[in-house]
Amino acid sequence: MDNKIAIIGAGNLGLSLVKGLVESKKYIPSQFNLSRRRIEKLQNMQDDGFNIFNDNSKAIENSEIIIIGVLPQKINEILSEIKPNLKSDQLIISLVSGVEINDIIKTIGDKTPIVRAMPNTAISIRESMTCITTTSKWEKYINTTKNIFNLVGETAVINEEKMTSATALCACGIAFFLRSIRAASQGGNEIDFHSSEALKMAAQTAKGAAALLLKNNSHPEDEIDKVTSPKGCTIAGLNEMEHNGFSSAFIKGIKVSSEKAKNLYE
């Protein structure tokens, strides 16, 4: 099959994935078949050497791996369309929130193996956190899937019942952390910095905070303790945020997103 990967529903997430994979130097544009109804939106990708389609069945014909990145409301239509062309030696990787493996089996049967993956848009710069799952029947395809997503960030294999939680924490989480950086930059703007300066400072500070935890394998409170002195400005700021519900609001937002993710397919 010439080691091709089809991306069905080549929108923001799908295109972020292929850009990250090409950036890894392990893939080249010609290995990707990108499919989208409005094919004109893929014209710049064709100019870069990618194969583009607005017919999903044709996009999967010579593909070893089929990655589906459509909205939950569209997946049954897509699966019904490609079902006649599916082969048992292909692998489907679903990026669709809230759609379980058994939901996919109901439409296409169980001849073609299925794995679910939940990445985030940091895939485009190879910094995604991707959660992966499948059934016991198709466990041997986990490594194939990890090999792809390890090229564009970190991966974790989890039980399928936790995938909606992974959606909230990792996929939606990108937006949550971006909003917190935006808030920090607005705070910087309030106290003396131009907005562009404040945004750069806030983003780099957030990057450094995350890197500390990952490199030191430490707990956030351990790192917080290192910068909070008695009667100091750091603890004063932290306490003010907590009095106004910072942690509580963040936690509630993740919980609400998780509940919403459960019902997207329905």
Side-chain angles (χ1 to χ4, degrees):
M1 294 183 186
D2 197 25
N3 198 31
K4 274 192 165 57
I5 297 178
I7 308 290
I8 306 300
N12 289 336
L13 187 59
L15 294 181
S16 293
L17 172 58
V18 300
K19 288 173 183 176
L21 290 173
V22 170
E23 179 69 23
S24 76
K25 309 298 184 186
K26 298 293 184 181
Y27 290 88
I28 58 174
S30 62
Q31 287 178 275
F32 294 95
N33 292 345
L34 310 180
S35 182
R36 186 169 181 165
R37 294 295 185 199
R38 297 181 63 183
I39 197 170
E40 66 273 10
K41 288 186 172 290
L42 296 176
Q43 186 59 55
N44 63 320
M45 301 298 287
Q46 185 178 45
D47 296 341
D48 290 337
F50 295 89
N51 308 300
I52 67 171
F53 300 83
N54 61 0
D55 184 326
N56 295 321
S57 295
K58 289 183 178 178
I60 71 166
E61 275 182 1
N62 63 343
S63 299
E64 179 182 358
I65 295 170
I66 301 163
I67 297 177
I68 301 177
V70 299
L71 292 172
Q73 300 90 330
K74 296 288 186 181
I75 189 169
N76 286 344
E77 175 188 342
I78 297 298
L79 292 173
S80 297
E81 183 182 347
I82 66 174
K83 179 181 177 180
N85 298 83
L86 288 174
K87 301 178 179 67
S88 60
D89 60 347
Q90 292 175 306
L91 169 63
I92 290 175
I93 300 176
S94 171
L95 311 183
V96 186
S97 299
V99 181
E100 297 182 356
I101 290 171
N102 281 336
D103 296 323
I104 298 173
I105 289 173
K106 286 176 186 176
T107 303
I108 65 169
D110 63 355
K111 296 292 191 294
T112 303
I114 304 161
V115 175
R116 291 179 65 191
M118 182 51 59
N120 59 44
T121 53
I123 258 184
S124 64
I125 58 167
R126 302 174 64 204
E127 289 288 353
S128 177
M129 179 66 242
T130 303
C131 294
I132 297 167
T133 193
T134 191
T135 63
S136 56
K137 178 178 180 179
W138 294 315
E139 279 184 355
K140 68 179 182 179
Y141 295 96
I142 286 288
N143 281 340
T144 300
T145 308
K146 284 181 67 177
N147 288 341
I148 292 172
F149 288 95
N150 279 339
L151 293 173
V152 287
E154 299 291 330
T155 59
V157 178
I158 63 175
N159 295 329
E160 187 173 20
E161 59 265 26
K162 294 181 180 179
M163 284 298 276
T164 51
S165 300
T167 301
L169 186 58
C170 302
C172 303
I174 281 281
F176 303 154
F177 286 107
L178 288 171
R179 180 58 61 86
S180 70
I181 293 170
R182 171 63 172 155
S185 73
Q186 289 175 313
N189 199 197
E190 282 258 9
I191 59 176
D192 209 12
F193 297 107
H194 291 293
S195 57
S196 58
E197 291 178 311
L199 181 56
K200 181 177 181 179
M201 291 175 183
Q204 178 59 39
T205 302
K207 180 182 177 182
L212 276 174
L213 298 180
L214 294 172
K215 186 170 183 178
N216 296 342
N217 194 28
S218 56
H219 190 279
E221 291 302 326
D222 294 335
E223 302 298 339
I224 288 171
D225 286 346
K226 295 174 184 177
V227 292
T228 50
S229 54
K231 296 185 179 181
C233 53
T234 303
I235 192 62
L238 284 172
N239 286 342
E240 182 66 19
M241 291 177 192
E242 291 303 332
H243 289 325
N244 285 280
F246 176 79
S247 293
S248 178
F250 215 111
I251 292 165
K252 286 178 180 178
I254 290 171
K255 288 178 69 177
V256 167
S257 286
S258 181
E259 289 300 318
K260 182 74 172 180
K262 291 178 183 177
N263 301 315
L264 288 176
Y265 181 53
E266 296 176 6

